[in-house]
Amino acid sequence: SSSMIGVLVSFVVIFIATRKLHLAFFATVSIFSVLISVIGAVTIAGWTLGVIEAILFGILAGFSVDYVIHLAHAYSHAEGDVEERVMAAYAEMGTSVFSGMLTSVVASIPLFFCTLTFFAKFGTFLCLTILFSWIFANLGFMGLLATFKISMDRKCL
């Protein structure tokens, strides 16, 4: 339930930051997709729900919002039609978002080799969350924007 609260808070924050309902909705879909993907991946890997997993799932939404909010902000401040905005958002934030993903994944790799269970699981959790977050922000969120082509001209919608 704390993850769902995190998703809801993310929606509110993104809506306040962009003042566009469709951006907040698409970003929330991306964050929720990350949440489902990470939980599914660790379940497939054989994890059972214990104290460590509950803590990690509780912070999942917070880790998932980073890349999508950067792209949403860049998209909302770009000029032009949808295609030009998507290209501008990638031009402005694409390299930074990719670099953030790459450094976070590389930083999580040493945790895989820890003998303490918490750190080993945290490394796996962090790596999966960052990878899924980057994929869904770049392909899911931006793909939804490009597909639905909702105008940014309307006030608050």
Side-chain angles (χ1 to χ4, degrees), residues 17 22 26 29 45 66 69 112:
H22 73 284
F26 290 159
V29 168
D66 191 29
I69 200 162
F112 296 161

Side-chain angles (χ1 to χ4, degrees), residues 32-105:
F32 188 72
S33 298
V34 173
L35 190 122
I36 296 300
S37 298
V38 171
I39 292 172
V42 298
T43 301
I44 290 170
W47 290 18
T48 56
L49 185 60
V51 175
I52 293 170
E53 294 80 11
I55 292 168
L56 295 176
F57 293 157
I59 60 174
L60 181 55
F63 279 124
S64 303
V65 74
D66 191 29
Y67 306 129
V68 74
I69 200 162
H70 281 85
L71 292 171
H73 178 72
Y75 180 89
S76 70
H77 284 81
E79 299 291 327
D81 63 11
V82 172
E83 186 175 318
E84 292 168 335
R85 284 175 178 272
V86 167
M87 297 295 283
Y90 278 134
E92 183 179 335
M93 285 292 168
T95 303
S96 300
V97 166
F98 178 77
S99 298
M101 180 273 299
L102 187 61
T103 57
S104 296
V105 167

Side-chain angles (χ1 to χ4, degrees), residues 109-129:
I109 291 172
L111 294 173
F112 296 161
F113 306 105
C114 288
T115 55
L116 293 174
T117 304
F118 176 80
F119 291 118
K121 285 191 171 189
F122 183 73
T124 302
F125 166 82
L126 181 63
C127 188
L128 287 172
T129 303

